């Protein structure tokens, strides 16, 4: 394939100043493939990275953000035999160093050499360049072949789905038939609710403030939606569970209120997965963890190759994330794409960009 | 409700001699409810119990076998407030003593006081009277309310489904997207395959000798069926899994050949659940357990209240076991029902009896 | 054995009014044994029960508190064959109903019928009479035979040790060689630190405010003690762990400060077990649970028969809790015993009473 | 440090023909350190490698076997900052490729690129050169710093100890107080028994055929030794466990008889870890796995960095493997060392070689 020397890319010149420019097409290091980016989805962390950077972000004026993307392999380093030119792939953002204690135990999303490029760590769109560009160089550890039945568009949501799956893995998966409350119908919340049913939950209850988002939940298979604006959530969940509480709560609002309330709606011996980003401290009735034998954890991103696990579920249509893709923009329109995403204009949930 | 003093029941008078007769309607002890039996399914263990008894079976001439049944609560002991008259219920066969180390740790299907009625152990249709009768007295620990959307007929298959779920629980549930091979399309095999998809398996491969049974598998959602008569199973599974092997094998034939072959078709770090009844010793290439880091277990019946877990999946139609119910008989026809079951006449899979 | 009709017992006549009086020796129900109490230890919850009762406590004027005791079997109900007269036993306080979903899954310390005596639940010294008396009637589910090498005195601390073990069980036991920080050198903290070493921890760090208590920790095998009065705990723990943090934190102060600080001293993918009683809400940097992949739980009392697990460790002397027993009183001196315990007079840790 | 160009090494010239010769000191690749070998222990697999090679072994005439060794860092590749010259280290034999699905999930001892040097896999002494030499080039993923309190001699046994720990990790660690039967008092069996006590086993029973080996077990803390020559093992274990069987069996003979018998001496819900090398198929009463709810696995080598976990236990003397080191030879005497090891001359258990 004819690979140009330069490419269009959205580069962060200064905090808040993301602009399209020409950049050199990246060259490949050992273990890498060059990806012609087809679709990249805006993640909730992107606006914050653009506004104020990230620990160890690349030099301003050269930094290409973006980390939820799919594309086609157009070149591979000499040692790469795992992929062939033309392969359609989804990229996961974290590549561990492969030599710290955490990586060697399979925990590459919490690599102890985070941001240390010399040791081999990569975090596309965070500490190294990402996908808001025509091309991206990605390590094969982060590349996952897409079967023909998955479109590039839907495939760009696989990293989100993988994060949700990792959350379920860490909390011991779902025991068949469980009642699960998902709080917060953002993209991760909606995926959490949808996937819960796919993994055998008995009943999924979704709570939120906006009826249009709750309606998307319904479309994705949620059994019960509760609007926190007009419902006493604790009372209602207890009613729905014969006074016992939910088997699991998956907290996806990132807000202190629901994060604390999770302990009020979970049953004895129940589990709580915190899937949000919590900017503020949260005040909990901690004693309940002990007295009620609760188990609590949260997933750090798309660990343990859960992206691989998400693919077959999406490939046969059981996992259908298309309803989450509400807007599509070209790379030239990237700032408009971000505006749409952050203002939630037109009911925006996942906004994708196509270079 | 008007409860008669006597009832029709199928009583084992001698090994192989099961006959309908009149028996007293059982009286209730503490914690028990009287169930008007509606439907009872023949289990693979029943013919063997009838042929030669079971450890600690009740006195011949008084022994009513049968343990997979549903019915209606028509009376309760004074201490029972958990159920009301008219409640529709499924019965699970094992009631632990509640005082041995295993029961206190939740392992009531491997109660250390098995068969000791004085200590409180019950195993309906095995060591105490069961359900081939108009009425049965059952402890509330074994009774599970059925929602209106579950018929008595399909509900009688819940004990089987619960056994399958317990197998998945013991082996660490299914990790999303896994490739699972189920060997043997008997009732438990078909349920194992069906339920694997409901719990998030990526791909389910079912192997067997009879095409009509494999076709039922297809109807229940199996992705790939392989007839062992004309397929090199090891070669084919390796082909289907890029040479890696299956993530999990669920062995349901009870035969030595497939039980040994399970180790040949599972991947490194894979898991094997033995769900069959193995009348013969099995010769394994044991070294592979070590060299390939395998994990092996098997479920003893419907433990850990998995019947409760099966109910919501059946209630909303995701778990659809109706295709397994091939024949229906009255209690008067019980011997004909058994003949049909054991001869697999007319493609019999699950044969139900309705008193 | 000659069992009298009445006995000495410490009865709660009114909140704060605990007095020795004569009470009928309890009669036995099914499954029970009569225990001649030898030694009972004061638990941290006892003063609070005496001050203000407990959910579902027995009638004032008849309520005998106390729940950490040992003694000798002097009578058994007709169905009890598991124990013989003269057996020396330790009593655990929780007996589940044996018929709720939690009990049937082995979770009897979080029985859903808590306090419902008719359903069979018992919580000695909380919702039913306990051990500050000459005799107590206890269900065999709560009785554990003591080998000759365990004294009644040390045996009275087995319930505490079992609670510590249950905490370790719920958090996935200790992985060999781990560095564990235990915060708070109260009885549970000291046991947690001592037992961590017995279960294979690499290094145990104990933090606290009082040097004499930290010294007891040293005596029990703790590797490093840190006085929070003169040490920056976060800095020091990081120093001791090459900047990584501890593999596990076992929080035993019950205070909000250390409970929140646990998240600052644990490593990525680390675990926190909350073993205290938390009277106040705790404000946490919850985001770290997600970003650092933490796992959090806490043990509700001595669940899963961990008392059975503690016995062999104490029997051969590896677990040596004798240094924790600082004071011994007769039953007549019970109020003095409580005063000593609550005022920590003379460095009181565990105070025992011998009827 | 002055590093010579050539070194003494034991090279396999032909199957069975291991000879001392001069070899070039290995040069370093990225991520590697050069180790001046101090002590290397003979492993049970070494004689078989020398006799007939191993899958993908290096070219005869250049192949240096040996994989259980310790030494000093004398040079590092430019990217290696984790270690300094002069660091004392233990080497573990497996280095995964770091890019296959198993490695990325932390399962580097079952790397899917086994033997593929181009992909980065290394197995010292098996598929790449090992430690029977003055120097060895080792990747930092395989190097573990030794504290001063661990001698090079004892440290050379850490890979064995790590394998034992990995076995315990895979089977769910040891639950406090458990009764564990270890079969076979070879090096791995003796370590398994010793470590079981260190991790909190209640009672360890060791079985074997040779009294002198059983005596070493006693020295290492085993509670009960049983000579299979004069004891009915099944009967005796049942006697010692009140008829229940052992909580766990750790099979270390590699023989079919004891491997099958493991199922006869384990309790309901018990666990079996197969730690041996099984050259022959094993015939099991497989049905017991199902009927008794057994859990079975086996450790593939020293996975999940268990060598790191072993170090603190050895460092403070709790793990004392010195009694296993029965013989010491110079590199020049390597064939004598092997003769001693294979003939078990002079009660040889672990035989070490010091270049």
């Amino acid at each position: 394939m004819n690979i140009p020397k330069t490419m269009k890319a959205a580069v962060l010149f200064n905090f808040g100043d993301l602009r399209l420019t020409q950049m050199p097409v990246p060259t490949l290091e050992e273990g890498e493939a060059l990806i012609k980016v087809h679709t990249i989805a805006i993640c909730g962390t992107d606006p914050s990275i653009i506004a104020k950077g990230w620990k160890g972000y690349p030099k301003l004026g050269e930094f290409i953000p973006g980390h939820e993307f799919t594309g086609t392999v157009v070149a591979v380093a000499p040692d790469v035999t795992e992929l062939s030119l033309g392969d359609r792939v989804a990229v996961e953002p974290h590549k561990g160093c492969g030599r710290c204690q955490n990586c060697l135990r399979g925990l590459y999303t919490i690599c102890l050499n985070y941001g240390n490029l010399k040791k081999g760590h990569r975090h596309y769109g965070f500490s190294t360049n990402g996908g808001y560009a025509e091309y991206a160089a990605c390590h094969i550890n982060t590349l996952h072949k897409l079967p023909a039945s998955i479109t590039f568009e839907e495939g760009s949501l696989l990293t989100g789905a993988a994060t949700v799956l990792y959350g379920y893995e860490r909390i011991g998966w779902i025991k068949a038939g469980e009642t699960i409350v998902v709080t917060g119908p953002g993209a991760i919340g909606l995926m959490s609710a949808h996937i819960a049913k796919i993994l055998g939950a008995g009943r999924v209850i979704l709570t939120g403030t906006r009826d249009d988002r709750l309606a998307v939940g319904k479309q994705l298979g949620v059994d019960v939606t509760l609007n926190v604006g007009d419902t006493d959530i604790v009372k209602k969940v207890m009613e729905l569970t014969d006074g016992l509480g939910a088997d699991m709560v998956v907290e996806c609002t990132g807000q202190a209120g629901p994060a604390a309330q999770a302990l009020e709606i979970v049953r004895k011996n129940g589990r709580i997965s915190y899937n949000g980003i919590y900017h503020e401290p949260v005040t909990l009735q901690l004693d309940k963890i002990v007295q009620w034998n609760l188990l609590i954890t949260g997933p750090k991103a798309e660990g343990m190759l859960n992206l691989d696990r998400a693919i077959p579920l999406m490939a046969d249509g059981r996992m259908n994330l298309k309803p989450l893709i509400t807007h599509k923009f070209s790379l030239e329109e990237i700032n408009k794409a971000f505006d749409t995403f952050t203002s939630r204009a037109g009911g925006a949930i996942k906004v994708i960009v196509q270079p």
Side-chain angles (χ1 to χ4, degrees), chain A:
Chain A
M1 190 171 288
N2 223 348
I3 299 167
K5 290 277 186 292
T6 63
M7 65 178 185
K8 277 184 297 182
V11 169
L12 192 65
F13 283 87
N14 235 315
F15 293 155
D17 178 12
L18 183 76
R19 263 183 286 144
L20 219 63
T21 186
Q22 284 290 313
M23 286 281 283
V25 169
T27 52
L28 296 182
E29 300 185 17
E30 193 181 323
E32 288 187 341
L34 188 69
I35 306 305
K36 173 91 180 70
V37 180
H38 184 287
T39 296
I40 173 161
I42 297 180
C43 170
T45 51
D46 283 339
S48 144
I49 291 168
I50 287 163
K52 53 186 189 187
W54 187 263
K55 188 192 166 193
Y57 61 89
K59 205 177 152 185
L60 291 174
E62 299 177 5
F63 174 24
I64 304 170
H67 60 275
E68 298 188 349
F69 58 108
T70 51
T72 306
V73 174
V74 293
V76 296
D79 65 306
V80 173
T81 59
E82 291 89 343
L83 290 168
S84 308
L85 301 197
D87 279 350
R88 302 166 71 250
V89 292
V91 182
E92 70 169 303
H94 287 86
K95 191 221 158 246
C97 72
R99 56 204 272 176
C100 73
Q101 216 179 35
N102 283 6
C103 282
L104 288 168
R105 286 181 174 143
L107 302 163
Y108 58 82
T109 58
I110 50 167
C111 173
L112 297 172
N113 282 315
Y114 187 94
N116 190 333
L117 307 189
K118 285 185 190 159
K119 295 291 181 194
H121 182 268
R122 300 285 183 274
H123 194 185
Y124 304 134
F126 292 78
S127 67
T128 54
N129 276 344
Y132 290 124
E134 286 182 295
Y135 294 91
C138 301
H139 194 274
I140 53 151
N141 288 12
T142 65
L143 297 176
H144 304 265
K145 275 193 223 183
L146 291 179
S149 61
I150 297 183
T151 63
F152 285 120
E153 286 82 355
E154 197 180 3
S156 72
L157 272 52
L158 280 165
T159 288
T163 299
V164 168
L165 286 174
Y166 190 38
Y168 286 126
E169 180 172 26
R170 288 191 64 82
I171 202 78
W173 297 107
I174 288 171
K175 297 176 204 295
E178 289 190 321
T179 292
I180 295 182
V181 175
V182 178
T183 55
I188 288 292
L190 288 166
M191 289 186 199
S192 296
H194 182 52
I195 291 172
K197 288 293 278 192
I198 296 169
L199 301 186
R203 194 171 34 160
V204 175
I205 300 167
L206 178 66
T207 69
T209 55
R210 282 169 296 152
D211 283 329
D212 58 331
R213 286 290 182 95
L214 295 172
V216 177
K218 276 283 187 188
Q219 194 182 343
L220 291 169
V222 163
D223 297 283
V224 180
T225 56
L226 302 177
N227 191 314
V228 303
D230 55 28
T231 316
D232 179 333
I233 296 296
V234 176
K235 195 177 150 196
K236 188 67 188 173
V237 169
M238 285 301 158
E239 228 175 271
L240 288 166
T241 56
D242 298 323
L244 294 178
D247 295 297
M248 196 195 301
V249 178
V250 183
E251 208 300 303
C252 300
T253 68
Q255 304 297 316
Q261 200 178 56
L263 281 78
E264 307 303 312
I265 58 178
V266 76
R267 69 177 284 166
K268 286 184 177 181
N269 204 44
R271 290 116 73 213
I272 300 173
S273 181
Y274 286 110
N275 286 15
I277 297 181
Y278 301 86
H279 297 291
E280 321 247 320
V282 177
T283 302
L284 299 176
Q285 298 296 337
L286 192 73
D287 204 48
K288 208 159 181 182
I289 296 176
V290 194
Q291 297 300 318
W292 280 43
N293 254 359
L294 303 183
L295 186 72
I296 296 177
T297 187
K300 173 57 183 174
E302 79 289 350
M304 275 285 160
L305 296 183
N306 274 287
L307 208 151
D308 272 0
R309 292 184 175 131
I311 286 175
L313 302 180
M314 187 181 276
D316 69 8
R318 267 177 292 173
M319 187 194 295
N320 176 9
L321 304 184
K322 295 192 200 89
L324 300 184
I325 304 177
T326 53
H327 297 77
K328 190 186 297 193
F329 292 93
S330 68
L331 186 57
E332 283 77 6
E333 303 167 301
I334 187 158
N335 283 310
K336 194 169 156 199
F338 271 102
D339 288 347
T340 304
F341 179 78
T342 51
S343 68
R344 292 170 171 173
I349 304 179
K350 289 302 280 189
V351 173
I352 61 177
V353 175
Q354 299 188 313

